[in-house]
Amino acid sequence: MSSEFRGTVAEYQALYIEKNAHLDQFLEQVTPYEFYREIFPEGSFERKGHYEDGRPNGIAVSLPGKGGSVNGIALEIEGDGKAKRYIITDDLEKLDELIDTDFTIMAPISYYGRKRSGKMARFLYALAFDLDGVGMPQLRDVLHQMNKDILPKASFVVNSGTGLHLYYILSEPVPMYPQNQHYLKELKYSLTRQIWNRFTSSIKQPQMQGLMQGFRVVGSWSKLGKGYPVVAYRFGGRVELDDLLDYIPASNGERQKLQGILRKTTMPLAEAKAKYPDWYERRVVKGERRGRWTVKRDLYDWWLRRIRDEIRVGHRYHGVMTLAIYAKKCGIEEDELRQDAYSLLLPYDEMSIEEVNRFTREDVEAALSMFNEDYVTFPRDDIARLSGMTMPVNKRNWRKRGLHIQFMNLNRQFKVASGECTNGGRPSAQEQVYQWRRQHPNRRKADCHRDTGLDPKTIRKWWDCPPTPLRFEDGYMADGGSGPG
């Protein structure tokens, strides 16, 4: 495997031109209008001004900047920096306004209303994949693997600036029912693991993208700035959704898992009514929203600490995105969320290895769009995949939380009575430092070292870090209450 290409902006711009020249030799370049007309055939959206059509529309999201940009980074964000939404009607006229914009994204999905949420999504027209770490060897191998049927042949190959976007236009748009979204999301994750391999990307770890993820609009600027637009090339034809399943390996059970999900998603509504009458009454007859728990802010604070310390390049956007989800889930005010999110801007940007991969205000604002009630039930496993961080599961053996706590307390009392353990255990170094500081608020680190015997480096590490109320026991998250004091 070749090492990851890390170059200057000028080198990336030269690579962009070289990739376009290679694609021009073998594929047909298409205009932005031709690209989106292929994805959204005539009649997909509402006619402009004809609200009686009752059809969904496309939604593009833009964060325009004033005064141009440098390396794809807007010099000045307009207004409060919040995203501007464009409703794309059937004539696709709005595309003219999006061409030559600095940072505009759009998903191959139609929506009712103005919100890009799973609840408002109507049809999925294509599966789109983002492939980073693509130099010339990787570009050649992507085309080779698709020509040799190692990978499914994409309908369009898009030069996104520093990587590729692969679009698989479906033969028939898929209704975005919740059960379909679950299957399509898992299918996309599985296909990402196949498409993102050691020959197609110089980056070892695949970067997962959600089903609703939008990508830079064809014809708008890439990360490389003005003069380096996102360009689309026609490659294959439309694809059958079932055919994509053939590219998922069966040897490790992954294909069988997807087939099992598919069987559940195709349950007729009449059968679901007979099997789950309570669910049918609540969700179908009464139209109630899916229930959810309101969570203590400990979860939000814990996740904020983790994404400050553990996030890596390639997952920074999703770190802020999942923080917005947890903020809504925990009842955090938007002002506090925005302040916390923007506190990550500088440290995240400083992680950037290349000038073309800076973390910007546009990234923060796009991620904050997930501060929405529609996403509060976002699955934990998806958050782990997107953020690139582990999310250990509470091990309660299917007991309710209150019953499990009662069981664990009785179990500890038995062990204490039988002499198997003491009622408490040895405190951690963090807890020792914290408790010592509470008892000696005006004393120094050197005094703490003399009194506790802890290593000076350990004391410095935990000096200003009180223990989190959300702690781990045996590798699993546990509710630690409100903490000491």
Side-chain angles (χ1 to χ4, degrees):
M1 171 182 161
S2 60
S3 60
E4 182 180 348
F5 177 77
R6 295 174 181 171
T8 64
V9 174
E11 288 171 329
Y12 267 103
Q13 291 170 340
L15 179 60
Y16 166 91
I17 294 171
E18 187 178 1
K19 286 194 284 188
N20 276 352
H22 183 79
L23 291 167
D24 279 326
Q25 287 182 7
F26 303 102
L27 307 180
E28 174 196 358
Q29 186 177 149
V30 297
T31 66
Y33 180 88
E34 290 172 326
F35 174 77
Y36 287 107
R37 185 83 290 169
E38 190 91 9
I39 295 176
F40 304 113
E42 192 170 346
S44 299
F45 299 151
E46 186 177 86
R47 291 174 297 164
K48 186 177 181 180
H50 289 263
Y51 305 110
E52 71 276 6
D53 288 351
R55 292 181 178 273
N57 292 304
I59 299 179
V61 179
S62 181
L63 280 163
K66 294 178 181 177
S69 73
V70 174
N71 307 334
I73 303 168
L75 295 179
E76 183 181 346
I77 305 298
E78 290 182 354
D80 57 6
K82 292 187 178 181
K84 179 179 181 180
R85 286 171 172 77
Y86 293 85
I87 302 301
I88 311 298
T89 52
D90 205 51
D91 54 20
L92 304 183
E93 283 184 4
K94 281 288 181 183
L95 289 176
D96 293 337
E97 297 181 36
L98 305 181
I99 305 305
D100 209 33
T101 54
D102 180 74
F103 185 81
T104 305
I105 61 173
M106 183 175 175
I109 298 173
S110 62
Y111 300 88
Y112 284 112
R114 300 183 64 87
K115 293 170 65 176
R116 292 176 63 248
S117 68
K119 180 184 176 183
M120 305 304 291
R122 183 63 185 98
F123 288 108
L124 176 79
Y125 288 82
L127 285 171
F129 298 84
D130 183 22
L131 190 61
D132 283 338
V134 180
M136 287 305 300
Q138 289 77 24
L139 173 60
R140 295 188 189 98
D141 221 288
V142 167
L143 300 178
H144 169 76
Q145 290 190 36
M146 290 195 288
N147 279 321
K148 295 297 183 181
D149 206 34
I150 299 169
L151 295 176
K153 183 175 285 189
S155 310
F156 287 100
V157 176
V158 177
N159 184 355
S160 63
T162 57
L164 294 178
H165 295 160
L166 305 178
Y167 283 80
Y168 294 83
I169 302 178
L170 304 176
S171 57
E172 293 289 338
V174 180
M176 291 289 275
Y177 302 135
Q179 63 269 29
N180 287 349
Q181 289 186 32
H182 178 45
Y183 171 70
L184 292 166
K185 175 192 67 181
E186 294 297 332
L187 176 63
K188 183 173 180 180
Y189 288 155
S190 295
L191 284 170
T192 299
R193 285 188 283 270
Q194 302 309 308
I195 293 170
W196 194 303
N197 60 58
R198 64 193 182 99
F199 300 106
T200 60
S201 174
S202 62
I203 301 172
K204 183 177 179 180
Q205 184 66 34
Q207 295 169 10
M208 298 296 180
Q209 304 282 351
L211 184 64
M212 306 288 179
Q213 179 70 45
F215 296 108
R216 286 181 184 260
V217 168
V218 171
S220 66
W221 300 4
S222 70
K223 286 184 177 180
L224 301 175
K226 188 172 184 179
Y228 299 88
V230 179
V231 181
Y233 293 84
R234 181 178 281 111
F235 189 25
R238 293 178 177 272
V239 299
E240 295 287 342
L241 195 60
D242 290 344
D243 292 343
L244 294 176
L245 199 59
D246 295 337
Y247 294 89
I248 307 301
S251 56
N252 61 1
E254 195 167 359
R255 186 189 301 175
Q256 292 85 339
K257 175 187 173 184
L258 285 167
Q259 289 169 335
I261 296 172
L262 182 59
R263 281 193 293 273
K264 291 180 181 179
T265 63
T266 54
M267 179 184 291
L269 198 58
E271 184 181 344
K273 179 181 180 180
K275 284 191 172 183
Y276 311 106
D278 293 341
W279 170 87
Y280 185 88
E281 179 68 22
R282 286 187 293 103
R283 300 297 301 280
V284 180
V285 178
K286 296 181 179 178
E288 294 179 4
R289 294 179 70 107
R290 181 179 177 183
R292 74 172 181 95
W293 295 295
T294 299
V295 181
K296 292 194 301 183
R297 71 165 296 135
D298 295 352
L299 174 65
Y300 174 83
D301 294 334
W302 169 76
W303 189 246
L304 178 58
R305 282 192 294 272
R306 286 199 68 189
I307 63 173
R308 283 191 197 280
D309 299 335
E310 301 176 38
I311 210 74
R312 296 291 178 266
V313 173
H315 300 283
R316 294 172 292 184
Y317 166 82
H318 290 110
V320 179
M321 184 194 85
T322 50
L323 183 69
I325 292 172
Y326 280 149
K328 178 59 75 172
K329 193 177 185 73
C330 298
I332 305 299
E333 294 293 329
E334 184 176 2
D335 288 345
E336 180 179 354
L337 167 64
R338 296 183 70 83
Q339 183 176 350
D340 289 337
Y342 272 96
S343 74
L344 299 169
L345 179 59
L346 181 58
Y348 276 17
D349 188 39
E350 289 176 344
M351 293 181 191
S352 304
I353 300 169
E354 306 147 323
E355 280 296 309
V356 295
N357 197 27
R358 303 288 296 277
F359 192 76
T360 69
R361 286 177 172 269
E362 295 105 313
D363 296 315
V364 174
E365 287 298 332
L368 289 176
S369 66
M370 296 292 277
F371 184 68
N372 189 308
E373 188 68 27
D374 293 324
Y375 297 107
V376 293
T377 54
F378 205 79
R380 182 191 61 246
D381 289 346
D382 291 349
I383 288 176
R385 288 186 183 113
L386 296 174
S387 65
M389 300 194 297
T390 58
M391 294 285 285
V393 184
N394 283 322
K395 190 175 182 181
R396 296 177 184 164
N397 297 323
W398 297 282
R399 303 183 188 97
K400 295 291 186 179
R401 177 176 175 273
L403 181 61
H404 185 70
I405 290 174
Q406 184 180 3
F407 170 81
M408 294 304 295
N409 287 340
L410 290 171
N411 194 34
R412 173 169 286 279
Q413 289 173 19
F414 174 79
K415 289 184 176 182
V416 170
S418 63
E420 292 184 40
C421 71
T422 60
N423 197 6
R426 179 182 177 183
S428 66
Q430 184 182 18
E431 182 70 27
Q432 284 182 270
V433 173
Y434 174 65
Q435 294 295 348
W436 186 92
R437 290 203 68 189
R438 290 188 64 190
Q439 296 166 15
H440 311 92
N442 298 319
R443 295 179 66 184
R444 304 170 302 158
K445 297 182 182 72
D447 301 323
C448 180
H449 168 62
R450 281 193 295 270
D451 291 353
T452 64
L454 292 171
D455 186 277
K457 292 192 293 295
T458 301
I459 293 172
R460 288 196 296 271
K461 177 180 179 180
W462 299 118
W463 190 253
D464 293 313
C465 296
T468 172
L470 195 67
R471 69 184 192 281
F472 283 86
E473 292 178 355
D474 300 325
Y476 298 96
M477 281 190 294
D479 185 359
S482 56

